[in-house]
Amino acid sequence: MELYLALDVGGTNTEAGLVSASGEVIASHLVPSHPHGSRDQVLAVMDAALAPFTAEEAVALGVGFPSFGDYEVGILDSERSAYPSMNGFHLKEYLERKWGLPTRVVADANLFALGIARFGEGHSHSDFMALSLGTGIAIGLVRDGQVLGGAKGYPESTMRAYNEWLWPQAWDHSGYRFEERYGADPVTMRNLARDGDAKACAVFDQVGRALAITIKRLARETGLNIAVIGGGLAEAYELFEPSLVADLKESGVAVLKTALEKPALLGARALFAP
């Protein structure tokens, strides 16, 4: 069976996996990220995530990294990234040399969006925005079934979202500085809300309203009227869905939570046609 190695580098965790050609995650391995570490420390985290797997098991390696970059070449640009030590690093070349496999590297948001486009809700929707809610908000745009790229890996509308207007309406609510803002990490706050804690419930009401601001602006800029949500914070989707849907009601934008468990790992496989 033809298998692919997948690597999804995140701000909180880094996950690697082995994925079949048909889109089945055979195995995965999660390790804590070290985004503000030295370059060697960051690379050591990637190595640790991939450690359970061998190059002999796979035909190619697909990677998502949370940074701008020249992804045609595979060089990272850490502007607005949690990984400053990786600025200017040729990640594609490094991984190809280390693993001896054909390697493709894309922005993490596009890896997430690609997984949904090829193996998830993209089967029903050819045009959508994909938002992964984790340490930050990762935004991928899909039109006619294709994930949109552009300067530094992203289309212009997404670059404007990151550079001009995403903060503070939504960014802080997705996970980044969540504990600083609310006094508890997202998992603890989610558990409190599920137990009926009024303050925790109010937090997720605010999360939904903040996310709606971002989605409505993206919809105006892109013409896309479907938003597919995933990522770690989406595990609390039922807690922020009411305020999110209510605030989107007049916009005509429909919102879905992806049914895929590991869309980014599937996106890594989808980097390699067919």
Side-chain angles (χ1 to χ4, degrees), residues 172-243:
D172 288 354
H173 302 281
S174 67
Y176 178 71
R177 291 172 53 192
F178 195 101
E179 188 168 359
E180 177 185 332
R181 177 180 285 271
Y182 298 121
D185 63 82
V187 174
T188 300
M189 193 65 71
R190 180 191 69 198
N191 292 337
L192 287 170
R194 285 176 175 168
D195 288 338
D197 183 272
K199 289 185 179 179
C201 290
V203 164
F204 286 103
D205 179 78
Q206 187 175 355
V207 167
R209 296 186 184 283
L211 186 56
I213 293 171
T214 295
I215 290 174
K216 285 189 284 190
R217 180 131 187 201
L218 279 170
R220 288 195 297 269
E221 294 225 359
T222 66
L224 299 173
N225 61 7
I226 295 173
V228 183
I229 306 295
L233 195 61
E235 294 179 11
Y237 182 71
E238 81 280 5
L239 298 171
F240 61 82
E241 180 188 20
S243 59

